[in-house]
Amino acid sequence: MDIIKTTSIALVALRLNAMRSFLTMLGIIIGIASVIVMVSVSSGSKQEIEAQIDRLGSNVLSIRPGARMMGGRHGGSGTAAPLTEKHIKSLRNKFAFIEGISGSISATVPAVYGNNNWTTSVIGIHADYISVRQWVIEEGRNFTEREVKSGGKVALVGQDIIDKLFDGASPLGARIRIKNIPFTVIGTLQAKGASNWGRSYDDVIFIPISTSRMRVSGRQARSVPDNIGNLYLTVNLDRDIGIAEEDLREFLREIRKIAPGAQDDFNVANFSEFIRARNETSATLGLLLAATAAIALVVGGIGIMNIMLVSVTERTREIGLRLAVGARRKDILNQFLVEAVTLCLIGSLVGVALGVGTGELVKRLVDIPVLLNIPIIFIAISSAALVGIFFGFYPARKASRMNPIDALRYE
Amino acid sequence: MDKVLIECRSLCKDYHMGGETIHALRNVSLQIHKGEYVAIMGPSGSGKSTLMNLVGALDVPSRGDLLVNGVNLAGQSSDQLANFRNHTIGFVFQQFNLLARTTALENVKLPLLYSHDKNPGDLTRRATEALERVGLADRMDHETTQLSGGQQQRVAIARALVNRPSMILADEPTGALDTKTSIEILDLFQELNDAGITLMVVTHDPEVAEVSKRNLMFRDGEIIDDLIVAQGAGS
Ligand SMILES: Nc1ncnc2c1ncn2[C@@H]1O[C@H](COP(=O)(O)OP(=O)(O)OP(=O)(O)O)[C@@H](O)[C@H]1O
Ligand SMILES: [Mg+2]
């Protein structure tokens, strides 16, 4: 009795009990469908995180001045000596792997255009900032080196500013006032959307860093003549970002004259790691849900066992007949095993379809990122087959141990 | 005399019901030769079905031996017994025992699916031939529930025949059929016997006794009469 014969016997038997077969599969269908949905949602959010990292730049490092040690105690963050234009120069000279580097001094101040008034984040930058932080100039142009150095009164505006100050009209060439200083808008920025902190990235105005230092940000920035606030740089993708981070740290310790063994008075941070860490919990939660769904699969398996047991009892006469016409115990065992596995496989296929469909629906209706995970589909189908063998075995063995005449006489 | 196909030696079958023991068969000794047509008769509860089930290897005796072609069934493994039921015996039941919602052809194919022939040939063709032999070629693709009682019993006979058994065991094959249909089934048995198949038929029907070559009379688990009828008395 080969596998094809056994399968065809089992398939005919399943067709004979179509309704029962469907109900038996229900547990597996639901189990598999929920595994697929959970994993898809989890992979979707993981993909979303990676996309976010890409948007911020996976090769971006930020350097901030840290705490100064004051008599063995920490001062607040930013109390250490600020980063300056000199730092930028020496870093550029030292490391060829730096692709772009820029300071960033931010202030939250009102901007005025005509009768419109909007308090926004005004950030003083070097020209490199645009590419380092993955901004794209939509209209107009970036700052020139000259404007950056000589305190040019020019500005780049984000999409939200166009809406708030210019009521959506093109702002190119317009003059806005920030702290009563007139700035000419020379460019607009492509939209970036909301950050996952809830704030819009596009609610921003960029101005040359020297202008910001001297006229817009507070006194603290002014106190050091070439303060650059925080520092952002991109590392050449050929270079391992972890190693680059370490090189930068060592060099900064050197030029900032930090005694061996003493703590850094600055922080080097890797953006992507920061975001990954933030989102680790959500990924874990997704896996937890998938584990719950896997338990649903086991419960589905127990359902299969349950109904197969009932089915074996109900089909006692059929089993008796098969034994009477020459089926061996092994044949009966295999038939019921194949029935259980077939139920699980068909159930898992229906479950996959249902899961994929539900995922698609969730994506459209709830606007949650959903990513279909192909390997998981194969894993789901094969684990369903295993569930079939495991939970089908006991009922199948029960069927195969029947005595022909008792089975035939069974009412 | 033809060769001995079935030999029962002091066959006993007891059933234990609560504290009571029912002796369904008491020391039955019997030889059936190849080509015989044996009608088994006797009152209800006299042990006819019990004997058939033992001969068909559906049940095991309490004591005594049962030999088929000289082989003692007691020493056979469960797989060997399955093979015996598949190849040597064709069983026909009073209640037909067909698979519901399945076509006649599929029912007849069933024993072939469990057959261990090295060279089984075309299963569908063999099943079709068996159905032709019982006169149901035109009903092959009908589901069994769409067939009359007589037709269902023919399907069951075709199923018993399909693996070319040495012997057909029929336990009250006409018990659920009307007189006219019964006669058709009996004619079919006659044909099969003429073709060389050994037949053991349990019946309450005197018609069968007339067409068979040998009548066994049972009472209380014993053979009380063993009558060899003149050849072809019924025809
Ligand atoms: N499974 C069983 N358990 C207990 N007793 C049984 C069982 N099968 C048969 N018997 C008993 O064994 C005896 C013989 O039964 P058997 O079925 O062989 O009779 P029978 O001659 O075929 O009768 P009938 O003509 O009514 O079919 C009866 O007394 C019956 O009650
Ligand atoms: Mg009986």
Side-chain angles (χ1 to χ4, degrees), chain B residues 8-15 23-29 50 54 60-65 221:
Chain B
C8 305
R9 294 182 188 154
S10 311
L11 217 49
C12 294
K13 181 73 187 177
D14 301 337
Y15 290 109
H23 300 284
L25 283 184
R26 306 167 196 254
N27 285 315
V28 171
S29 293
T50 305
L54 294 181
V60 286
S62 305
R63 284 174 305 282
D65 289 310

Side-chain angles (χ1 to χ4, degrees), chain B residues 43-109:
Chain B
S44 184
S46 57
K48 308 181 295 290
S49 295
T50 305
L51 177 70
M52 295 293 266
N53 295 336
L54 294 181
V55 173
L58 298 177
D59 206 352
V60 286
S62 305
R63 284 174 305 282
D65 289 310
L66 177 63
L67 288 78
V68 178
N69 281 327
V71 179
N72 194 332
L73 291 189
Q76 302 279 292
S77 71
S78 126
D79 281 3
Q80 284 170 320
L81 288 179
N83 201 37
F84 168 75
R85 291 192 284 263
N86 188 247
H87 281 278
T88 313
I89 301 287
F91 219 108
V92 178
F93 305 90
Q94 179 176 359
Q95 294 305 334
F96 321 139
N97 275 335
L98 300 174
L99 292 179
R101 277 161 294 164
T102 311
T103 64
L105 189 69
E106 279 174 292
N107 268 283
V108 175
K109 258 190 191 173

Side-chain angles (χ1 to χ4, degrees), chain B residues 48-49 171-172 202:
Chain B
K48 308 181 295 290
S49 295
D171 193 351
E172 299 191 45
V202 172

